[in-house]
Amino acid sequence: MSFRDPIPSQPISGSEAIRVVNSRAGTRNASTEGYRDAAVRYRWSPEWLVAITLIADFSFIVVSIELSTLLSDLFARDAVGDLIGNLALGATFAAVFIGILALRGGYKLDTLRHSRHQVRLVAGAVCIAFFLMGWFAFLSKTTATFSRLDLTVFFVVNLIGLTTLHWSVSGLLNSKLAKGELSLRRAVVIADGRQRNGDDFQDLLRRNGIEVVELIEVSPSQFRRDDYSLVCRHALERAQGALSHAQVDGVFLFLGWNDRRAIDEMRVALSGLPVPVHLFADVETERVLRRRHLSVGGMHGYELQRAPLDLVDRTLKRVFDVAVSVAALLLLGPLMVLIACAIRVEGGGTVIFRQKRKGFGGRPFDIYKFRTMTCTEDGAVVTQATRNDPRVTRIGAVLRKTSADELPQFVNVLMGHMSVCGPRPHAIAHDNLYDRIIARYAFRHHVKPGITGWAQVNGYRGETRDTAKMEARVEHDIWYVNNWSIWLDVRILLRTFLSGWVSPDAY
């Protein structure tokens, strides 16, 4: 019976419960044996992996000092190498580097698997170790022992070599795990079939180095209160059977956290096993635990809603906005003058259209745009532009198609009303409408509105003919607010320029 097999909809008796678990056991045992024989080729313990990486680091550093001397000899042929001194320097540097990297968690299994994080940690450890060694040599007045060229080459070789080594280890480790050719732990898994999908669930465990020795499926809410203890005892028997036939590193529980009784009974039933038992969060709880948390007197609170940007974030965003806006106005200034002249020649009247919009915190401000219509609506009712709208002028059609009518908003950015990147501001009449029918619509006002945004670079531009389109745009805006970083703004700006300002939905 797989995780996708139907679960009885009615409570069943104790004898029926035992039969259900036994029937699951028969099919699962057969599949587990096949998995055990076909999927796992090697089993390395985490301790061995860490030890191998440590030895590789130490060996590379010791060898690199001699390599550095040979390389420097190519530039300074009169250089004289001291083998004993070089080995002593290499061993000392290796000890300092390994100590720093270990203190920063660089040899933990989860860290070893992340290539980019490894590169950052290793590069930082090399720089810190080199600085500490140099400071010690300065204090002990031994800086003249080694040439500056030797030390420079030694630093560069270690910086490049060690980062490449750890990058390669991460790639090899992830490749072996993905193919099921590497097992780091063996575990008995007891899971609620409603919480985890069978194939995807096992594949996730395999890719993280977990060899499933025995997979026991239970469904706590489907059994009567008195009968669930029988299910726990039978799960214990299967776990004991797995321990007697294979080396098992632990028991993993994947049960719903809303059923505390089921968890407690399973914990008590497994308390006699001589292996650790780990309880994993269910799907809903994981979503909360991934969020930022705050500790107060030993209590932990998890962030359900991100606050508006703090002082540092606002400063970074403001510097970015001012720099981009000044550059845009200087580069596009002549084009904006030509656009203003064209609007004036075509029909006279005002060149700049002003309309009330809501900014940060819902505070209203006047947004600036090049006038593209024969009317200037800004009241309780504002009609969206539609395809072939008769109100749009000939120059206005070109401006709206290319989004050039938005260029004056760089002035809004310099005035502090807007940001370069952020949720697009809507007419106040539309804000009032959608605020009543779309949940969390007002959350968009946690940051300043933008000239371009995450929703726009993902295709949500132009007219919103129905509520579903606006809901999709709002979801993207909320994601932007919750995941903001300065690099996200850079990414949005680059995508805006690379994808062009022309859109079939802009008219």
Side-chain angles (χ1 to χ4, degrees), residues 47-253:
E47 294 78 13
W48 270 108
L49 286 173
V50 171
I52 292 172
T53 308
L54 282 169
I55 294 172
D57 286 344
F58 188 89
S59 302
F60 179 86
I61 294 173
V62 172
V63 172
S64 68
I65 188 66
E66 288 299 325
L67 177 62
S68 302
T69 302
L70 293 175
L71 291 175
S72 62
D73 285 348
L74 297 177
F75 302 96
R77 296 186 181 276
D78 58 341
V80 179
D82 179 5
L83 178 61
I84 302 301
N86 288 346
L87 293 178
L89 174 64
T92 305
F93 184 86
V96 174
F97 167 80
I98 291 173
I100 293 171
L101 191 59
L103 288 174
R104 300 183 69 190
Y107 291 109
K108 293 181 178 178
L109 184 61
D110 290 339
T111 310
L112 283 173
R113 295 183 55 222
H114 293 85
S115 302
R116 294 182 180 178
H117 191 40
Q118 275 289 296
V119 169
R120 289 194 296 268
L121 286 177
V122 171
V126 170
C127 294
I128 295 172
F130 196 81
F131 171 79
L132 292 177
M133 292 288 291
W135 184 251
F136 177 78
F138 171 76
L139 294 179
S140 61
K141 298 181 180 181
T142 58
T143 53
T145 305
F146 301 95
S147 72
R148 284 171 290 183
L149 180 59
D150 285 351
L151 294 177
T152 301
V153 175
F154 177 65
F155 172 76
V156 173
V157 168
N158 277 278
L159 183 63
I160 297 175
L162 288 172
T163 53
T164 303
L165 174 63
H166 279 251
W167 178 280
S168 302
V169 169
S170 297
L172 178 63
L173 181 59
N174 287 319
S175 174
K176 294 296 183 182
L177 290 174
K179 296 176 181 178
E181 297 176 352
L182 182 64
S183 171
L184 304 176
R185 297 183 182 90
R186 288 194 177 110
V188 172
V189 175
I190 302 176
D192 184 346
R194 301 163 305 165
Q195 295 289 331
R196 304 285 174 173
N197 179 275
D199 294 337
D200 293 341
F201 177 52
Q202 288 198 63
D203 184 62
L204 176 63
L205 293 175
R206 177 175 55 82
R207 284 187 284 106
N208 285 275
I210 306 300
E211 179 186 353
V212 180
V213 176
E214 189 76 20
L215 183 55
I216 306 170
E217 180 187 348
V218 297
S219 185
S221 64
Q222 301 299 322
F223 302 108
R224 292 172 181 162
R225 184 179 184 87
D226 295 335
D227 296 331
Y228 185 66
S229 59
L230 299 178
V231 177
C232 292
R233 286 200 295 272
H234 189 77
L236 172 62
E237 293 173 1
R238 289 182 59 186
Q240 289 172 332
L243 265 68
S244 65
H245 291 92
Q247 180 182 346
V248 176
D249 300 306
V251 177
F252 292 174
L253 298 181

